[in-house]
Amino acid sequence: MNAAARPSVRIAYAIAGGALLIVLAQLIGQFELAGKAWPPLTDVLAYVSTPAGSSLLGRNLLVTLAAAAQGFLLGTAVAVIGAALALVVPMLRQGLDRFAAILHAVPTIALAPLLITTVGREGTPAVIAALSVGFVMFVSMTSGLTAANPAHHDLFTVFGSTRLQRLGRLELPRAVPAFFDGLTLAAPAAILGATIGEWFGAPMGIGLLLVSAMQNYQMALLWAAALAATLLSLAAYLLLVQLQRLAAGRFA
């Protein structure tokens, strides 16, 4: 198989896999193979196509997207600054690594009450999204900032560069591919974090819809909200994958 045919084959496989998944979801719901809690996909799409359903999902999806975007930007900024600080001040590296690992290991259910009392119910989804993004980006950046060739470090040493000059002219440019690798994983994590954060009493959002629909046994709404969150995560991932490919071609 030549190289020109490979992309079309991959696309064909992806389309076939997606079609098979849709058919299976419809059959499982149609014949109640998983119980009445799994409705047919056509019922979910019918609910989404109604004015009330599409309006409800659209409003709450925008709220979740806004919280995820805030957490995404905040978590990325803090992680990049922390990774750069750990590189410039080596004595901080071990402490920052442990702090990031411990913070990531704390269950969200334990952090949520603390966040609600400090940043409020409306701010909790963005903070949880930032925590989810921060760990992924910190790991990616600490790895990327150490990816420079040792020979290049020797060259900068010979020319008498300062630590900040080496960071700005050598290590940060070399870390760009790792930065975008982290972003591709951080974007879905931000949406998931915002959705989970909305479970704890946010006034609006996809997470609130999921909890409300589950409690009231509104299966069409429950699956529609889950599908909307999944598609949003997938769209964010695919967008950043394209940006990652451009960055890899430019800086690799």
Side-chain angles (χ1 to χ4, degrees), residues 56-65 191 194-196 198-199 202-213 221-222 224-230 232:
L56 180 64
L57 284 173
R59 292 195 308 270
N60 286 276
L61 194 63
L62 288 176
V63 172
T64 300
L65 180 59
I191 295 170
T195 303
I196 293 175
E198 290 166 349
W199 291 1
M204 286 188 68
I206 290 295
L208 178 63
L209 279 187
L210 289 170
V211 174
S212 176
L221 175 58
L222 176 65
L227 181 61
T230 302
L232 181 61

PDB file of all heavy atoms in Angstrom, residues 56-65 191 194-196 198-199 202-213 221-222 224-230 232:
ATOM      1  N   LEU A  56     -31.925  24.193  26.041  1.00  0.00           N
ATOM      2  CA  LEU A  56     -31.420  23.826  27.365  1.00  0.00           C
ATOM      3  C   LEU A  56     -29.974  23.344  27.287  1.00  0.00           C
ATOM      4  O   LEU A  56     -29.116  23.763  28.077  1.00  0.00           O
ATOM      5  CB  LEU A  56     -32.311  22.744  27.977  1.00  0.00           C
ATOM      6  CG  LEU A  56     -31.927  22.245  29.377  1.00  0.00           C
ATOM      7  CD1 LEU A  56     -32.043  23.379  30.396  1.00  0.00           C
ATOM      8  CD2 LEU A  56     -32.812  21.063  29.775  1.00  0.00           C
ATOM      9  N   LEU A  57     -29.691  22.477  26.328  1.00  0.00           N
ATOM     10  CA  LEU A  57     -28.325  21.970  26.180  1.00  0.00           C
ATOM     11  C   LEU A  57     -27.363  23.081  25.768  1.00  0.00           C
ATOM     12  O   LEU A  57     -26.238  23.158  26.268  1.00  0.00           O
ATOM     13  CB  LEU A  57     -28.304  20.850  25.134  1.00  0.00           C
ATOM     14  CG  LEU A  57     -28.851  19.492  25.571  1.00  0.00           C
ATOM     15  CD1 LEU A  57     -28.927  18.553  24.380  1.00  0.00           C
ATOM     16  CD2 LEU A  57     -27.976  18.889  26.659  1.00  0.00           C
ATOM     17  N   GLY A  58     -27.796  23.931  24.854  1.00  0.00           N
ATOM     18  CA  GLY A  58     -26.921  25.000  24.371  1.00  0.00           C
ATOM     19  C   GLY A  58     -26.513  25.966  25.473  1.00  0.00           C
ATOM     20  O   GLY A  58     -25.342  26.315  25.605  1.00  0.00           O
ATOM     21  N   ARG A  59     -27.478  26.402  26.295  1.00  0.00           N
ATOM     22  CA  ARG A  59     -27.167  27.337  27.373  1.00  0.00           C
ATOM     23  C   ARG A  59     -26.189  26.729  28.379  1.00  0.00           C
ATOM     24  O   ARG A  59     -25.224  27.370  28.787  1.00  0.00           O
ATOM     25  CB  ARG A  59     -28.448  27.760  28.094  1.00  0.00           C
ATOM     26  CG  ARG A  59     -29.392  28.611  27.279  1.00  0.00           C
ATOM     27  CD  ARG A  59     -30.431  29.284  28.175  1.00  0.00           C
ATOM     28  NE  ARG A  59     -31.111  28.332  29.031  1.00  0.00           N
ATOM     29  CZ  ARG A  59     -32.224  27.679  28.705  1.00  0.00           C
ATOM     30  NH1 ARG A  59     -32.767  27.869  27.527  1.00  0.00           N
ATOM     31  NH2 ARG A  59     -32.795  26.846  29.558  1.00  0.00           N
ATOM     32  N   ASN A  60     -26.458  25.502  28.764  1.00  0.00           N
ATOM     33  CA  ASN A  60     -25.605  24.865  29.768  1.00  0.00           C
ATOM     34  C   ASN A  60     -24.244  24.471  29.200  1.00  0.00           C
ATOM     35  O   ASN A  60     -23.239  24.492  29.914  1.00  0.00           O
ATOM     36  CB  ASN A  60     -26.311  23.642  30.347  1.00  0.00           C
ATOM     37  CG  ASN A  60     -27.431  24.006  31.301  1.00  0.00           C
ATOM     38  OD1 ASN A  60     -27.210  24.244  32.482  1.00  0.00           O
ATOM     39  ND2 ASN A  60     -28.642  24.101  30.773  1.00  0.00           N
ATOM     40  N   LEU A  61     -24.208  24.137  27.923  1.00  0.00           N
ATOM     41  CA  LEU A  61     -22.932  23.795  27.302  1.00  0.00           C
ATOM     42  C   LEU A  61     -22.010  25.011  27.241  1.00  0.00           C
ATOM     43  O   LEU A  61     -20.793  24.896  27.450  1.00  0.00           O
ATOM     44  CB  LEU A  61     -23.173  23.248  25.893  1.00  0.00           C
ATOM     45  CG  LEU A  61     -21.996  22.543  25.223  1.00  0.00           C
ATOM     46  CD1 LEU A  61     -21.594  21.308  26.011  1.00  0.00           C
ATOM     47  CD2 LEU A  61     -22.354  22.163  23.788  1.00  0.00           C
ATOM     48  N   LEU A  62     -22.576  26.177  26.986  1.00  0.00           N
ATOM     49  CA  LEU A  62     -21.770  27.401  26.961  1.00  0.00           C
ATOM     50  C   LEU A  62     -21.201  27.713  28.341  1.00  0.00           C
ATOM     51  O   LEU A  62     -20.058  28.179  28.462  1.00  0.00           O
ATOM     52  CB  LEU A  62     -22.613  28.570  26.461  1.00  0.00           C
ATOM     53  CG  LEU A  62     -22.952  28.569  24.965  1.00  0.00           C
ATOM     54  CD1 LEU A  62     -23.868  29.739  24.627  1.00  0.00           C
ATOM     55  CD2 LEU A  62     -21.681  28.628  24.127  1.00  0.00           C
ATOM     56  N   VAL A  63     -21.984  27.463  29.384  1.00  0.00           N
ATOM     57  CA  VAL A  63     -21.499  27.695  30.749  1.00  0.00           C
ATOM     58  C   VAL A  63     -20.326  26.762  31.055  1.00  0.00           C
ATOM     59  O   VAL A  63     -19.291  27.185  31.598  1.00  0.00           O
ATOM     60  CB  VAL A  63     -22.642  27.492  31.759  1.00  0.00           C
ATOM     61  CG1 VAL A  63     -22.108  27.539  33.193  1.00  0.00           C
ATOM     62  CG2 VAL A  63     -23.705  28.564  31.570  1.00  0.00           C
ATOM     63  N   THR A  64     -20.471  25.489  30.702  1.00  0.00           N
ATOM     64  CA  THR A  64     -19.390  24.526  30.929  1.00  0.00           C
ATOM     65  C   THR A  64     -18.159  24.890  30.108  1.00  0.00           C
ATOM     66  O   THR A  64     -17.023  24.802  30.595  1.00  0.00           O
ATOM     67  CB  THR A  64     -19.855  23.110  30.571  1.00  0.00           C
ATOM     68  OG1 THR A  64     -20.968  22.763  31.385  1.00  0.00           O
ATOM     69  CG2 THR A  64     -18.744  22.093  30.786  1.00  0.00           C
ATOM     70  N   LEU A  65     -18.366  25.304  28.870  1.00  0.00           N
ATOM     71  CA  LEU A  65     -17.244  25.693  28.010  1.00  0.00           C
ATOM     72  C   LEU A  65     -16.507  26.894  28.586  1.00  0.00           C
ATOM     73  O   LEU A  65     -15.264  26.942  28.565  1.00  0.00           O
ATOM     74  CB  LEU A  65     -17.758  26.012  26.607  1.00  0.00           C
ATOM     75  CG  LEU A  65     -16.704  26.443  25.582  1.00  0.00           C
ATOM     76  CD1 LEU A  65     -15.652  25.363  25.403  1.00  0.00           C
ATOM     77  CD2 LEU A  65     -17.366  26.775  24.249  1.00  0.00           C
ATOM     78  N   ILE A 191     -12.486  20.099  30.313  1.00  0.00           N
ATOM     79  CA  ILE A 191     -13.938  19.941  30.173  1.00  0.00           C
ATOM     80  C   ILE A 191     -14.468  18.943  31.196  1.00  0.00           C
ATOM     81  O   ILE A 191     -15.518  19.155  31.824  1.00  0.00           O
ATOM     82  CB  ILE A 191     -14.276  19.504  28.739  1.00  0.00           C
ATOM     83  CG1 ILE A 191     -13.886  20.626  27.766  1.00  0.00           C
ATOM     84  CG2 ILE A 191     -15.762  19.173  28.609  1.00  0.00           C
ATOM     85  CD1 ILE A 191     -13.941  20.232  26.319  1.00  0.00           C
ATOM     86  N   ALA A 194     -14.385  20.674  34.637  1.00  0.00           N
ATOM     87  CA  ALA A 194     -15.474  21.646  34.791  1.00  0.00           C
ATOM     88  C   ALA A 194     -16.810  20.938  34.992  1.00  0.00           C
ATOM     89  O   ALA A 194     -17.635  21.360  35.809  1.00  0.00           O
ATOM     90  CB  ALA A 194     -15.534  22.553  33.563  1.00  0.00           C
ATOM     91  N   THR A 195     -17.017  19.853  34.258  1.00  0.00           N
ATOM     92  CA  THR A 195     -18.266  19.101  34.391  1.00  0.00           C
ATOM     93  C   THR A 195     -18.403  18.498  35.785  1.00  0.00           C
ATOM     94  O   THR A 195     -19.473  18.562  36.410  1.00  0.00           O
ATOM     95  CB  THR A 195     -18.329  17.995  33.327  1.00  0.00           C
ATOM     96  OG1 THR A 195     -18.201  18.577  32.026  1.00  0.00           O
ATOM     97  CG2 THR A 195     -19.647  17.241  33.408  1.00  0.00           C
ATOM     98  N   ILE A 196     -17.318  17.916  36.282  1.00  0.00           N
ATOM     99  CA  ILE A 196     -17.348  17.350  37.635  1.00  0.00           C
ATOM    100  C   ILE A 196     -17.563  18.458  38.673  1.00  0.00           C
ATOM    101  O   ILE A 196     -18.314  18.287  39.638  1.00  0.00           O
ATOM    102  CB  ILE A 196     -16.049  16.581  37.919  1.00  0.00           C
ATOM    103  CG1 ILE A 196     -15.980  15.337  37.034  1.00  0.00           C
ATOM    104  CG2 ILE A 196     -15.955  16.186  39.393  1.00  0.00           C
ATOM    105  CD1 ILE A 196     -14.686  14.575  37.153  1.00  0.00           C
ATOM    106  N   GLU A 198     -19.243  21.077  38.388  1.00  0.00           N
ATOM    107  CA  GLU A 198     -20.637  21.518  38.372  1.00  0.00           C
ATOM    108  C   GLU A 198     -21.561  20.569  39.130  1.00  0.00           C
ATOM    109  O   GLU A 198     -22.705  20.925  39.428  1.00  0.00           O
ATOM    110  CB  GLU A 198     -21.106  21.663  36.921  1.00  0.00           C
ATOM    111  CG  GLU A 198     -20.450  22.832  36.206  1.00  0.00           C
ATOM    112  CD  GLU A 198     -20.628  22.787  34.702  1.00  0.00           C
ATOM    113  OE1 GLU A 198     -21.080  21.739  34.185  1.00  0.00           O
ATOM    114  OE2 GLU A 198     -20.298  23.783  34.040  1.00  0.00           O
ATOM    115  N   TRP A 199     -21.078  19.363  39.414  1.00  0.00           N
ATOM    116  CA  TRP A 199     -21.896  18.433  40.191  1.00  0.00           C
ATOM    117  C   TRP A 199     -22.152  18.927  41.606  1.00  0.00           C
ATOM    118  O   TRP A 199     -23.115  18.520  42.240  1.00  0.00           O
ATOM    119  CB  TRP A 199     -21.203  17.068  40.279  1.00  0.00           C
ATOM    120  CG  TRP A 199     -21.143  16.327  38.985  1.00  0.00           C
ATOM    121  CD1 TRP A 199     -21.617  16.741  37.766  1.00  0.00           C
ATOM    122  CD2 TRP A 199     -20.582  15.023  38.768  1.00  0.00           C
ATOM    123  NE1 TRP A 199     -21.367  15.799  36.806  1.00  0.00           N
ATOM    124  CE2 TRP A 199     -20.723  14.719  37.390  1.00  0.00           C
ATOM    125  CE3 TRP A 199     -19.947  14.098  39.596  1.00  0.00           C
ATOM    126  CZ2 TRP A 199     -20.287  13.522  36.840  1.00  0.00           C
ATOM    127  CZ3 TRP A 199     -19.507  12.913  39.047  1.00  0.00           C
ATOM    128  CH2 TRP A 199     -19.674  12.619  37.684  1.00  0.00           C
ATOM    129  N   ALA A 202     -23.340  23.837  41.205  1.00  0.00           N
ATOM    130  CA  ALA A 202     -23.244  25.000  40.322  1.00  0.00           C
ATOM    131  C   ALA A 202     -24.631  25.372  39.814  1.00  0.00           C
ATOM    132  O   ALA A 202     -25.491  24.498  39.619  1.00  0.00           O
ATOM    133  CB  ALA A 202     -22.312  24.697  39.153  1.00  0.00           C
ATOM    134  N   PRO A 203     -24.888  26.655  39.570  1.00  0.00           N
ATOM    135  CA  PRO A 203     -26.229  27.065  39.141  1.00  0.00           C
ATOM    136  C   PRO A 203     -26.583  26.613  37.730  1.00  0.00           C
ATOM    137  O   PRO A 203     -27.762  26.464  37.403  1.00  0.00           O
ATOM    138  CB  PRO A 203     -26.180  28.596  39.232  1.00  0.00           C
ATOM    139  CG  PRO A 203     -24.725  28.936  39.143  1.00  0.00           C
ATOM    140  CD  PRO A 203     -23.995  27.821  39.796  1.00  0.00           C
ATOM    141  N   MET A 204     -25.579  26.401  36.870  1.00  0.00           N
ATOM    142  CA  MET A 204     -25.814  25.965  35.492  1.00  0.00           C
ATOM    143  C   MET A 204     -24.633  25.125  35.039  1.00  0.00           C
ATOM    144  O   MET A 204     -23.580  25.106  35.681  1.00  0.00           O
ATOM    145  CB  MET A 204     -25.993  27.166  34.547  1.00  0.00           C
ATOM    146  CG  MET A 204     -27.316  27.895  34.668  1.00  0.00           C
ATOM    147  SD  MET A 204     -27.511  29.143  33.357  1.00  0.00           S
ATOM    148  CE  MET A 204     -27.668  28.093  31.901  1.00  0.00           C
ATOM    149  N   GLY A 205     -24.822  24.434  33.904  1.00  0.00           N
ATOM    150  CA  GLY A 205     -23.728  23.666  33.327  1.00  0.00           C
ATOM    151  C   GLY A 205     -24.146  22.248  32.989  1.00  0.00           C
ATOM    152  O   GLY A 205     -25.173  21.744  33.467  1.00  0.00           O
ATOM    153  N   ILE A 206     -23.361  21.592  32.159  1.00  0.00           N
ATOM    154  CA  ILE A 206     -23.648  20.227  31.750  1.00  0.00           C
ATOM    155  C   ILE A 206     -23.620  19.287  32.957  1.00  0.00           C
ATOM    156  O   ILE A 206     -24.426  18.346  33.043  1.00  0.00           O
ATOM    157  CB  ILE A 206     -22.638  19.769  30.684  1.00  0.00           C
ATOM    158  CG1 ILE A 206     -22.887  20.498  29.371  1.00  0.00           C
ATOM    159  CG2 ILE A 206     -22.714  18.266  30.457  1.00  0.00           C
ATOM    160  CD1 ILE A 206     -24.217  20.180  28.722  1.00  0.00           C
ATOM    161  N   GLY A 207     -22.711  19.534  33.890  1.00  0.00           N
ATOM    162  CA  GLY A 207     -22.650  18.698  35.078  1.00  0.00           C
ATOM    163  C   GLY A 207     -23.937  18.748  35.881  1.00  0.00           C
ATOM    164  O   GLY A 207     -24.424  17.727  36.388  1.00  0.00           O
ATOM    165  N   LEU A 208     -24.500  19.941  35.999  1.00  0.00           N
ATOM    166  CA  LEU A 208     -25.771  20.087  36.713  1.00  0.00           C
ATOM    167  C   LEU A 208     -26.893  19.355  35.976  1.00  0.00           C
ATOM    168  O   LEU A 208     -27.743  18.711  36.602  1.00  0.00           O
ATOM    169  CB  LEU A 208     -26.121  21.568  36.853  1.00  0.00           C
ATOM    170  CG  LEU A 208     -27.458  21.893  37.533  1.00  0.00           C
ATOM    171  CD1 LEU A 208     -27.444  21.401  38.973  1.00  0.00           C
ATOM    172  CD2 LEU A 208     -27.735  23.382  37.465  1.00  0.00           C
ATOM    173  N   LEU A 209     -26.897  19.427  34.640  1.00  0.00           N
ATOM    174  CA  LEU A 209     -27.899  18.702  33.862  1.00  0.00           C
ATOM    175  C   LEU A 209     -27.790  17.198  34.086  1.00  0.00           C
ATOM    176  O   LEU A 209     -28.801  16.500  34.198  1.00  0.00           O
ATOM    177  CB  LEU A 209     -27.738  19.014  32.375  1.00  0.00           C
ATOM    178  CG  LEU A 209     -28.329  20.315  31.841  1.00  0.00           C
ATOM    179  CD1 LEU A 209     -28.204  20.345  30.324  1.00  0.00           C
ATOM    180  CD2 LEU A 209     -29.767  20.488  32.259  1.00  0.00           C
ATOM    181  N   LEU A 210     -26.549  16.692  34.134  1.00  0.00           N
ATOM    182  CA  LEU A 210     -26.352  15.258  34.337  1.00  0.00           C
ATOM    183  C   LEU A 210     -26.935  14.811  35.679  1.00  0.00           C
ATOM    184  O   LEU A 210     -27.636  13.797  35.763  1.00  0.00           O
ATOM    185  CB  LEU A 210     -24.862  14.921  34.267  1.00  0.00           C
ATOM    186  CG  LEU A 210     -24.205  15.015  32.881  1.00  0.00           C
ATOM    187  CD1 LEU A 210     -22.698  14.895  33.003  1.00  0.00           C
ATOM    188  CD2 LEU A 210     -24.754  13.939  31.960  1.00  0.00           C
ATOM    189  N   VAL A 211     -26.633  15.574  36.723  1.00  0.00           N
ATOM    190  CA  VAL A 211     -27.132  15.216  38.055  1.00  0.00           C
ATOM    191  C   VAL A 211     -28.649  15.324  38.113  1.00  0.00           C
ATOM    192  O   VAL A 211     -29.338  14.432  38.629  1.00  0.00           O
ATOM    193  CB  VAL A 211     -26.477  16.110  39.124  1.00  0.00           C
ATOM    194  CG1 VAL A 211     -27.093  15.849  40.488  1.00  0.00           C
ATOM    195  CG2 VAL A 211     -24.978  15.861  39.177  1.00  0.00           C
ATOM    196  N   SER A 212     -29.191  16.415  37.584  1.00  0.00           N
ATOM    197  CA  SER A 212     -30.641  16.621  37.623  1.00  0.00           C
ATOM    198  C   SER A 212     -31.377  15.549  36.824  1.00  0.00           C
ATOM    199  O   SER A 212     -32.395  15.006  37.272  1.00  0.00           O
ATOM    200  CB  SER A 212     -30.979  18.011  37.078  1.00  0.00           C
ATOM    201  OG  SER A 212     -32.372  18.218  37.011  1.00  0.00           O
ATOM    202  N   ALA A 213     -30.865  15.235  35.626  1.00  0.00           N
ATOM    203  CA  ALA A 213     -31.514  14.226  34.795  1.00  0.00           C
ATOM    204  C   ALA A 213     -31.441  12.849  35.437  1.00  0.00           C
ATOM    205  O   ALA A 213     -32.394  12.058  35.345  1.00  0.00           O
ATOM    206  CB  ALA A 213     -30.866  14.197  33.410  1.00  0.00           C
ATOM    207  N   LEU A 221     -32.540  13.261  28.368  1.00  0.00           N
ATOM    208  CA  LEU A 221     -31.745  14.425  28.741  1.00  0.00           C
ATOM    209  C   LEU A 221     -30.375  14.004  29.265  1.00  0.00           C
ATOM    210  O   LEU A 221     -29.357  14.639  28.957  1.00  0.00           O
ATOM    211  CB  LEU A 221     -32.489  15.241  29.794  1.00  0.00           C
ATOM    212  CG  LEU A 221     -31.731  16.440  30.388  1.00  0.00           C
ATOM    213  CD1 LEU A 221     -31.326  17.419  29.288  1.00  0.00           C
ATOM    214  CD2 LEU A 221     -32.576  17.127  31.447  1.00  0.00           C
ATOM    215  N   LEU A 222     -30.328  12.942  30.057  1.00  0.00           N
ATOM    216  CA  LEU A 222     -29.057  12.464  30.613  1.00  0.00           C
ATOM    217  C   LEU A 222     -28.091  12.090  29.501  1.00  0.00           C
ATOM    218  O   LEU A 222     -26.927  12.518  29.503  1.00  0.00           O
ATOM    219  CB  LEU A 222     -29.324  11.270  31.522  1.00  0.00           C
ATOM    220  CG  LEU A 222     -28.089  10.578  32.118  1.00  0.00           C
ATOM    221  CD1 LEU A 222     -27.352  11.510  33.050  1.00  0.00           C
ATOM    222  CD2 LEU A 222     -28.500   9.297  32.848  1.00  0.00           C
ATOM    223  N   ALA A 224     -28.284  12.931  26.320  1.00  0.00           N
ATOM    224  CA  ALA A 224     -28.020  14.091  25.469  1.00  0.00           C
ATOM    225  C   ALA A 224     -26.926  14.970  26.075  1.00  0.00           C
ATOM    226  O   ALA A 224     -26.029  15.457  25.371  1.00  0.00           O
ATOM    227  CB  ALA A 224     -29.292  14.899  25.260  1.00  0.00           C
ATOM    228  N   ALA A 225     -26.977  15.185  27.398  1.00  0.00           N
ATOM    229  CA  ALA A 225     -25.949  15.982  28.071  1.00  0.00           C
ATOM    230  C   ALA A 225     -24.598  15.281  28.013  1.00  0.00           C
ATOM    231  O   ALA A 225     -23.554  15.919  27.777  1.00  0.00           O
ATOM    232  CB  ALA A 225     -26.359  16.238  29.520  1.00  0.00           C
ATOM    233  N   ALA A 226     -24.602  13.967  28.234  1.00  0.00           N
ATOM    234  CA  ALA A 226     -23.342  13.218  28.159  1.00  0.00           C
ATOM    235  C   ALA A 226     -22.772  13.262  26.749  1.00  0.00           C
ATOM    236  O   ALA A 226     -21.549  13.419  26.560  1.00  0.00           O
ATOM    237  CB  ALA A 226     -23.573  11.777  28.593  1.00  0.00           C
ATOM    238  N   LEU A 227     -23.634  13.133  25.753  1.00  0.00           N
ATOM    239  CA  LEU A 227     -23.185  13.195  24.362  1.00  0.00           C
ATOM    240  C   LEU A 227     -22.632  14.574  24.020  1.00  0.00           C
ATOM    241  O   LEU A 227     -21.606  14.695  23.332  1.00  0.00           O
ATOM    242  CB  LEU A 227     -24.349  12.843  23.434  1.00  0.00           C
ATOM    243  CG  LEU A 227     -24.047  12.834  21.927  1.00  0.00           C
ATOM    244  CD1 LEU A 227     -22.980  11.795  21.602  1.00  0.00           C
ATOM    245  CD2 LEU A 227     -25.326  12.563  21.128  1.00  0.00           C
ATOM    246  N   ALA A 228     -23.283  15.619  24.514  1.00  0.00           N
ATOM    247  CA  ALA A 228     -22.805  16.981  24.252  1.00  0.00           C
ATOM    248  C   ALA A 228     -21.428  17.208  24.871  1.00  0.00           C
ATOM    249  O   ALA A 228     -20.536  17.786  24.231  1.00  0.00           O
ATOM    250  CB  ALA A 228     -23.803  17.998  24.805  1.00  0.00           C
ATOM    251  N   ALA A 229     -21.222  16.753  26.102  1.00  0.00           N
ATOM    252  CA  ALA A 229     -19.914  16.902  26.750  1.00  0.00           C
ATOM    253  C   ALA A 229     -18.845  16.102  26.014  1.00  0.00           C
ATOM    254  O   ALA A 229     -17.705  16.567  25.854  1.00  0.00           O
ATOM    255  CB  ALA A 229     -20.008  16.448  28.206  1.00  0.00           C
ATOM    256  N   THR A 230     -19.200  14.912  25.542  1.00  0.00           N
ATOM    257  CA  THR A 230     -18.246  14.092  24.805  1.00  0.00           C
ATOM    258  C   THR A 230     -17.836  14.749  23.494  1.00  0.00           C
ATOM    259  O   THR A 230     -16.641  14.785  23.145  1.00  0.00           O
ATOM    260  CB  THR A 230     -18.856  12.705  24.523  1.00  0.00           C
ATOM    261  OG1 THR A 230     -19.207  12.084  25.761  1.00  0.00           O
ATOM    262  CG2 THR A 230     -17.875  11.824  23.775  1.00  0.00           C
ATOM    263  N   LEU A 232     -17.946  17.907  22.783  1.00  0.00           N
ATOM    264  CA  LEU A 232     -17.158  19.099  23.083  1.00  0.00           C
ATOM    265  C   LEU A 232     -15.706  18.722  23.383  1.00  0.00           C
ATOM    266  O   LEU A 232     -14.771  19.370  22.890  1.00  0.00           O
ATOM    267  CB  LEU A 232     -17.771  19.835  24.268  1.00  0.00           C
ATOM    268  CG  LEU A 232     -17.068  21.127  24.704  1.00  0.00           C
ATOM    269  CD1 LEU A 232     -17.078  22.144  23.574  1.00  0.00           C
ATOM    270  CD2 LEU A 232     -17.735  21.706  25.950  1.00  0.00           C
TER     271      LEU A 232
END
